[in-house]
Amino acid sequence: MRTSAVSRPPRHTFRTVFPVLSLCWLAVFFDGMDVNIYGAVMPHMLDDPHLGLTPATAGTIGSWTTFGMLVGALIAGNLTDWLGRRLMLVASVTLFSVGSAICAVAPGVGLFGAGRFVSGLGLGGLMPLCLAMVMEFAPPRRAALTTALLMTSYHFGGMAATGLGLTLAPAAGWRWVFWAGVLPAVIAVPLLLKLLPESPGVLLARGKREEADAVADRYGIPRPTIVAAPAAGAAGRLAAVRALFRPQSRWATPLLWLASFSGLLLVYGVSTWLPQMMRAEGYGLSSSVSFLMVINAGGIVGLLIAGRTADRFGTVRVSAIWFVLTAAGALLLKSHLPLGVTYIVVAITGVWLFSAQVMVYAATNTVYRDSERAAGLGWVTGIGRTGAVVGPWLIGHLATSGNQSWGFTAFALAGLIGAVAISFVPLAQRAGRGDASVQGSRTVATAPAGTADR
């Protein structure tokens, strides 16, 4: 008698989830390119008399971008319930490509700022969605490393933007650099539509159990359970937010928010203003723009180091140390060092700066339960976006008042605040568990007779 062989799901390894990781990597690559394009061409734009850009308006426009990202993250979180993560990723990539096209044709700062806001709407939804997808598909003991690998793409994108700023902007003008920002819609969108699977957790939350199990089996990940599925609808989303403040995480949640605020203030402040800040310190135009490429190259190395180190020693500890080292690097950049030494300091600062923030994202895995993880990561990212708004705006106002060098001091202060906030997360978790134990004891003590034994 013949028996049909039962197909077993593949082992859950990097190889089985590589298609998801690579597609999200491509999307975040274009995210990094779009975010860094503005900083890479800002010196050329300030020199363009027809555009009318000033340091003050440059900082404000940088904040419009990150404010758009904050709005985009909130919109994407709600629309994901109806459209799913895959279609929202496609929409995000399309939107920031359209924003780049608007910037390329803008005759003045008004329309250019509107284009950057539109780009921000798309960029805001993309990063949380890619992080959630990769963390859902990642092997359990390699979450920090997988997150770090994903985020290397942001810095490769930043290096690509810097390369365009160094080559295309001087030869053809800064507008052609923004035309290059339309490429994601041409390259990434067809690949995402054809090859990227939907999240099994989202499929289950939408009542598609068979599809959810089929995707999970295909990629060798555990089948989703109801408790692991993200809450759907407005009521479910409110319940998910309330869960972030249950006794076990009520103190850790605001600390993660503060650490994320500090980290993204650093990331977007540096990405927007580093070339112009270094130019104001007396470095040449080409050297000032190339510093952005060097710091992103350092960021790639740092993420690879941080991912492996965090899997061994813990994400919180690594993030705290990285924040402190970032603060030290920012203070060193305030001194006018020889050009070769400055390149080294910029590269080493990049090693710590970007991965400090990424390890904050990875730390959410240690704080929240499966059912809370998507909401927890979304809010850590969303609150952090306020830091991304403040960073470009703050440095722009310092530049307008002639105190641009104080920007390095502001970056150092943000690094120290981030280090303190993330360092207190384990202590906050222990305090929360103590509160939960006390609350549980009171519940048992005040329960009606006989209920404690049921």
Side-chain angles (χ1 to χ4, degrees):
M1 183 175 66
R2 293 181 62 184
T3 58
S4 59
V6 178
S7 61
R8 295 181 179 179
R11 289 183 60 200
H12 190 190
T13 63
F14 272 124
R15 179 174 296 182
T16 59
V17 301
F18 179 77
V20 175
L21 178 59
S22 59
L23 288 167
C24 288
W25 194 98
L26 178 65
V28 176
F29 170 87
F30 286 120
D31 179 305
M33 190 176 85
D34 193 281
V35 169
N36 284 273
I37 274 179
Y38 184 42
V41 300
M42 186 190 293
H44 298 280
M45 295 174 65
L46 288 169
D47 291 341
D48 184 350
H50 303 292
L51 184 64
L53 188 68
T54 66
T57 54
T60 301
I61 288 173
S63 295
W64 288 355
T65 309
T66 49
F67 180 68
M69 294 169 77
L70 176 60
V71 175
L74 295 174
I75 294 174
N78 287 289
L79 291 181
T80 299
D81 292 341
W82 303 327
L83 301 178
R85 286 181 182 157
R86 186 172 71 101
L87 284 181
M88 281 309 304
L89 272 176
V90 169
S92 296
V93 173
T94 302
L95 202 56
F96 71 70
S97 296
V98 170
S100 192
I102 293 173
C103 290
V105 300
V109 293
L111 187 59
F112 181 87
R116 291 307 290 165
F117 178 78
V118 171
S119 290
L121 291 175
L123 295 167
L126 188 141
M127 187 70 75
L129 288 168
C130 285
L131 283 166
M133 286 285 285
V134 166
M135 292 177 76
E136 181 178 13
F137 281 80
R141 295 186 179 181
R142 291 291 180 264
L145 178 59
T146 308
T147 304
L149 288 172
L150 171 68
M151 294 304 297
T152 61
S153 61
Y154 176 92
H155 301 292
F156 277 112
M159 293 174 70
T162 308
L164 291 171
L166 285 170
T167 57
L168 190 58
W174 61 265
R175 294 182 185 276
W176 280 100
V177 179
F178 284 98
W179 279 120
V182 181
L183 289 175
V186 179
I187 297 173
V189 165
L191 292 174
L192 291 170
L193 284 171
K194 184 176 182 179
L195 301 174
L196 187 69
E198 183 55 271
S199 155
V202 169
L203 288 171
L204 181 60
R206 296 166 69 188
K208 299 180 179 180
R209 158 65 74 180
E210 291 185 3
E211 289 184 42
D213 290 347
V215 173
D217 291 346
R218 188 184 318 142
Y219 291 91
I221 63 177
R223 290 184 173 185
T225 60
I226 293 296
V227 71
R237 202 168 296 283
L238 284 174
V241 173
R242 284 196 299 269
L244 304 182
F245 290 91
R246 65 190 177 92
Q248 291 86 343
S249 58
R250 64 168 58 144
W251 304 115
T253 290
L255 288 171
L256 287 171
W257 290 0
L258 180 58
S260 183
F261 172 92
S262 302
L264 287 178
L265 186 153
L266 283 164
V267 168
Y268 287 94
V270 168
S271 296
T272 302
W273 277 102
L274 182 64
Q276 188 60 24
M277 288 172 71
M278 300 305 284
R279 191 184 186 191
E281 290 294 314
Y283 297 97
L285 177 59
S286 296
S287 296
S288 298
V289 174
S290 63
F291 285 134
L292 193 60
M293 178 175 287
V294 171
I295 203 167
N296 275 291
I300 294 170
V301 175
L303 286 167
L304 296 175
I305 295 172
R308 298 298 293 266
T309 307
D311 280 335
R312 182 174 181 183
F313 296 105
T315 53
V316 168
R317 184 178 302 173
V318 169
S319 181
I321 294 171
W322 265 227
F323 269 123
V324 171
L325 293 171
T326 298
L331 289 177
L332 280 175
L333 289 176
K334 191 174 182 180
S335 306
H336 190 90
L337 303 169
L339 183 60
V341 176
T342 303
Y343 273 117
I344 294 172
V345 173
V346 169
I348 293 175
T349 303
V351 169
W352 318 123
L353 189 156
F354 299 103
S355 48
Q357 170 63 21
V358 173
M359 291 303 105
V360 174
Y361 294 148
T364 60
N365 259 357
T366 68
V367 174
Y368 301 118
R369 300 174 297 187
D370 288 347
S371 58
E372 301 159 358
R373 193 165 294 139
L377 180 60
W379 277 88
V380 166
T381 306
I383 296 297
R385 295 294 185 200
T386 60
V389 173
V390 170
W393 169 84
L394 174 62
I395 307 304
H397 277 266
L398 288 174
T400 303
S401 61
N403 296 314
Q404 199 155 304
S405 63
W406 281 94
F408 295 110
T409 304
F411 291 152
L413 182 60
L416 293 176
I417 292 172
V420 171
I422 197 69
S423 294
F424 276 99
V425 166
L427 181 62
Q429 287 181 276
R430 287 194 292 272
R433 284 192 289 267
D435 291 346
S437 299
V438 171
Q439 183 176 329
S441 300
R442 288 175 179 171
T443 301
V444 172
T446 58
T451 58
D453 297 327
R454 291 177 190 171

